[in-house]
């Protein structure tokens, strides 16, 4: 059983996943710092000097000037300012990942037909014979070649 686990753990996809998770965690810390330390202070200034960490509702009795004071007193709070920062954090990460995937997809080259009597399926880009009426890979209908 230990041997099987070692084989499983050393497969390329598992190692790649582990590396991806580590890089993702580091990337998350960078983006969180970007949101907390660079983006949120100017946004707070534009909204009249609002500190997003100080945006919270206290559940129950008591008034607290800061979230730290409420936590120290053991008060239950809804920290909507921190939630807004987390949403912005997520949007930035999602947008950056979109840009990366978009760039990778653009770098992929389109497959070319091997011979002059082949054409590419417009749906899946699989090479098919010119006379084919349906793609053999995705079964989408193909337009017949026009006689010139």
């Amino acid at each position: 059983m230990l041997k099987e686990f070692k084989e499983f753990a050393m497969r390329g996809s598992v190692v790649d996943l582990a590396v991806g998770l580590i890089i993702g965690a580091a990337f998350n810390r960078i983006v969180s710092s970007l949101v907390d330390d660079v983006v949120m202070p100017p946004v707070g200034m534009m909204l009249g000097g609002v500190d997003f960490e100080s945006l919270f509702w206290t559940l129950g009795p008591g008034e607290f000037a800061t979230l730290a004071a409420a936590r120290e007193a053991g008060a239950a709070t809804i920290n909507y300012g921190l939630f807004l920062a987390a949403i912005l954090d997520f949007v930035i990460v999602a947008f950056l990942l979109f840009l990366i995937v978009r760039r990778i997809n653009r770098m992929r080259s389109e497959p070319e037909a091997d011979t002059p009597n082949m054409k590419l399926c417009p749906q899946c880009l699989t090479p098919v014979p010119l006379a084919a009426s349906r793609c053999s890979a995705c079964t989408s209908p193909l337009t017949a070649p026009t006689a010139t």
Side-chain angles (χ1 to χ4, degrees):
M1 189 161 116
L2 186 60
K3 182 181 176 186
E4 286 181 83
F5 178 73
K6 181 180 175 185
E7 288 174 10
F8 169 76
M10 289 303 162
R11 284 187 187 154
S13 58
V14 174
V15 174
D16 291 344
L17 178 64
V19 170
L21 284 171
I22 292 168
I23 290 174
F27 184 68
N28 184 38
R29 288 188 8 217
I30 291 170
V31 173
S32 293
S33 176
L34 172 72
V35 169
D36 296 339
D37 303 328
V38 177
V39 174
M40 294 310 259
V43 169
M45 265 179 67
M46 288 188 303
L47 296 175
V50 175
D51 178 18
F52 281 85
E53 284 190 22
S54 66
L55 297 177
F56 66 95
W57 289 311
T58 304
L59 301 175
E63 292 286 326
F64 303 97
T66 65
L67 179 59
R71 285 183 175 167
E72 187 176 307
T77 59
I78 295 177
N79 307 320
Y80 67 93
L82 295 175
F83 180 69
L84 292 173
I87 289 174
L88 185 60
D89 192 1
F90 170 77
V91 169
I92 290 173
V93 169
F95 182 70
L96 291 175
L97 287 176
F98 165 74
L99 292 178
I100 291 168
V101 169
R102 184 174 167 213
R103 181 59 125 191
I104 290 171
N105 288 339
R106 283 188 179 175
M107 289 175 17
R108 291 182 182 164
S109 61
E110 291 185 14
E112 295 182 20
D114 293 344
T115 61
N117 60 351
M118 301 289 275
K119 63 182 175 183
L120 293 177
C121 171
Q123 296 297 316
C124 68
L125 300 177
T126 300
V128 293
L130 283 175
S133 62
R134 286 202 175 268
C135 175
S136 61
C138 71
T139 70
S140 64
L142 304 171
T143 56
T146 56
T148 54

